[in-house]
Amino acid sequence: MNRLDQSAIASPSGARIPAAIWALGFVSLLMDISSELIHSLLPVFLVTSLGASAFVVGLIEGAAEATALIVKVFSGALSDYWGKRKPLAVLGYGLGAVSKPLFALATSSGLVLAARLMDRVGKGIRGAPRDALVADIAPPEVRGAAFGLRQSLDTVGAFLGPLLAMGLMLVWANDFRAVFWVAIIPGFLAVALLFFGVQEPKRDKSEHRAINPIRRENLRRLSAAYWWVVGIGAVFTLARFSEAFLILRAQQGGLPIAFAPLVLIGMNVVYALSAYPFGKLSDDMSHAKLLALGLAVLVGADVALAYSDHWTWVWLGISLWGLHMGITQGLLATMVADTAPADLRGTAYGFFNLMSGLAMLLASALAGLLWDQFGAAFTFVAGAIFSAAALVVILLRSGVRVRRA
C-alpha cells in the first residue's frame, strides 16, 4: 500500500501515526464544534420554541442520522469506483457547513428537518470516504490507534461545541438563533483545513480500474466475518438511540435550558478520554470481548437513566453512555477495515452504515413513541433490553475471532 508522503508523529507507544491522520482529526473536531453548537440545543429548541413532541424529535433525529448512514453506502462505493476519497470528503464537509444558516432561520419543525437532512447528507457523503482514507493512510499495525485518535479529536469537538453553546446561551439570554449563527465559522474552517491540509495517498493507476464495486462478484469478496460486523453494528444501533433523549431526560430532572449542552459535554468528555486508549487496546485485544464490554456498559447506562431523573442517576447514565461510545465506535470502524479488501473499503463502510442507518431510524422513532406513550423510563428500559440481546449475541460468538487484516 502506498503511504502518504508526510511527516509522522509518534504515538505514546512509539508507533508512528501519519500527520494526515492528525489533520483529519482536527477537521472532524472543527465540524463537530459547528454541529454540536446546534445539536446540543436542538431538542430543547424544538420542544420549547417550536412546540414539537418527543415523537417528532425522535423522527427528526432518526431520519437525519439514518440519512447520513444510508448515504454512506453510495459515497463509499463511489470512492472505490473513482479511486479517490478526498474530493467526496470535501463535498460532504462543504454541505455540512452550508446547512448551518438554515437552523438559525427555521420557524417550523419542517425547516429544521430540511436543515438536518442537508447536514446529514453531507455527513453521509464524507463519512465512508474519510474512514477509508484513514485506513489507506494508517499502517496496519497502528490502524486501531489511528481510528481511536481521529475519534478522540472528533469527540473533543463534540464537547467543545456544547461548551461554547452553553456559554453563548448564558451571555445572550437563551437566544437560540444567535448561537446557531456562530456555528457557521468552525464549519467553514473545517472545509478549509481538509482542502489545504490533507494530501490523499497517490495510487498506481495501473492497479486501479474504474469498476462498479457493488457488483455481485465484488460483494462476494466481502467475507462472512465482515457481514457479521455489519449485523452486530446494526443490533448495536438499535440499542443506542439518539442522544437527544439524554438531553430531554436531563431537562426532566430540572436542568435549566441554558445548561442543556452540559449533557453532551459530559458524555463527550468521557467519550474523548476513552476512545484513543480503547482504540489502541483493540490492536492487541479480542474485538469480541471489547464489544461485549461496551454493551455491558450501555446496559448500565440505560438502567441508570430508567431508574430516576435525579441528577445523580442521570449523570451516571450519561457518563456510562460516553464510555460505551469510546469503547465501541472506533472499534467497529477498525473491524470493518480489518475484514474488508483494501479496494472495497469505501463500499464496506457504506454497507455497514446502511444497515446502521436503518436501525437508527427505527430506534429513534420507537424511542420517541415509547416516551410519549409510556414515559421516559420505559424508553430506557427498552434500550437496556436491546443492549442485553446484542450482548448475548456477542457472547455466543466470543469464541470466534474476527479475521485480522
Side-chain angles (χ1 to χ4, degrees):
M1 182 187 296
N2 293 314
R3 298 288 176 223
L4 186 66
D5 186 21
Q6 294 187 20
S7 61
I9 301 173
S11 72
S13 67
R16 308 292 289 181
I17 297 178
I21 301 296
W22 288 82
L24 285 168
F26 280 106
V27 168
S28 294
L29 182 151
L30 286 167
M31 186 55 73
D32 254 34
I33 290 176
S34 177
S35 296
E36 297 304 328
L37 265 168
I38 295 171
H39 187 235
S40 61
L41 297 171
L42 197 58
V44 181
F45 175 67
L46 282 164
V47 172
T48 62
S49 296
L50 302 183
S53 66
F55 180 58
V56 169
V57 172
L59 279 180
I60 289 175
E61 291 300 310
E65 295 303 327
T67 297
L69 296 173
I70 292 169
V71 169
K72 285 182 181 181
V73 72
F74 303 105
S75 64
L78 181 57
S79 75
D80 288 336
Y81 175 83
W82 194 5
K84 294 184 178 181
R85 321 289 194 191
K86 180 178 171 180
L88 288 170
V90 170
L91 174 62
Y93 278 104
L95 275 177
V98 169
S99 72
K100 297 303 185 282
L102 298 179
F103 292 98
L105 298 171
T107 57
S108 67
S109 299
L111 189 52
V112 170
L113 175 60
R116 283 286 282 154
L117 290 177
M118 181 178 179
D119 177 54
R120 298 297 90 176
V121 166
K123 182 175 182 178
I125 290 173
R126 69 185 181 251
R130 182 205 59 214
D131 287 345
L133 187 57
V134 171
D136 289 346
I137 294 170
E141 62 271 16
V142 294
R143 188 172 287 149
F147 276 107
L149 175 64
R150 192 211 65 80
Q151 192 65 64
S152 286
L153 289 171
D154 178 277
T155 309
V156 168
F159 73 75
L160 288 179
L163 185 63
L164 181 57
M166 185 176 65
L168 292 175
M169 286 287 281
L170 290 171
V171 171
W172 291 338
N174 294 340
D175 189 339
F176 289 101
R177 299 181 193 280
V179 177
F180 293 168
W181 281 114
V182 175
I184 298 171
I185 299 170
F188 281 97
L189 287 176
V191 178
L193 177 58
L194 175 60
F195 187 81
F196 294 107
V198 177
Q199 178 185 342
E200 183 167 1
K202 293 181 179 179
R203 295 171 180 267
D204 187 340
K205 293 183 179 180
S206 65
E207 295 179 359
H208 177 76
R209 292 184 301 149
I211 58 175
N212 179 5
I214 57 176
R215 291 192 307 180
R216 182 179 302 174
E217 56 266 37
N218 282 325
L219 294 182
R220 286 174 179 163
R221 294 170 55 205
L222 296 173
S223 66
Y226 163 76
W227 290 111
W228 179 79
V229 174
V230 170
I232 202 62
V235 176
F236 229 108
T237 306
L238 278 175
R240 182 179 55 81
F241 38 78
S242 171
E243 286 89 10
F245 294 99
L246 303 183
I247 297 172
L248 295 179
R249 185 59 161 163
Q251 192 184 23
Q252 276 189 339
L255 187 69
I257 290 175
F259 291 96
L262 274 176
V263 173
L264 295 188
I265 292 171
M267 187 196 77
N268 284 305
V269 165
V270 178
Y271 189 178
L273 291 175
S274 58
Y276 180 68
F278 279 104
K280 283 190 64 61
L281 188 60
S282 73
D283 289 325
D284 302 307
M285 182 178 173
S286 163
H287 290 170
K289 289 180 180 178
L290 276 179
L291 281 177
L293 174 62
L295 279 165
V297 171
L298 182 56
V299 170
D302 280 320
V303 169
L305 289 162
Y307 182 73
S308 173
D309 63 5
H310 188 273
W311 67 269
T312 53
W313 289 100
V314 170
W315 288 106
L316 174 62
I318 290 168
S319 299
L320 290 175
W321 196 284
L323 179 60
H324 112 269
M325 295 281 285
I327 295 171
T328 62
Q329 296 309 289
L331 172 61
L332 287 168
T334 302
M335 291 172 71
V336 172
D338 286 349
T339 55
D343 62 321
L344 289 179
R345 280 187 182 131
T347 304
Y349 281 112
F351 275 104
F352 175 83
N353 288 298
L354 171 65
M355 297 305 297
S356 296
L358 295 174
M360 175 60 75
L361 176 59
L362 177 60
S364 293
L366 179 61
L369 185 62
L370 292 174
W371 188 292
D372 285 338
Q373 296 296 319
F374 303 104
F378 198 89
T379 300
F380 291 106
V381 168
I385 292 171
F386 278 119
S387 301
L391 178 58
V392 169
V393 173
I394 290 289
L395 292 176
L396 290 174
R397 288 292 303 263
S398 61
V400 179
R401 292 195 56 122
V402 176
R403 179 176 61 84
R404 308 293 290 268

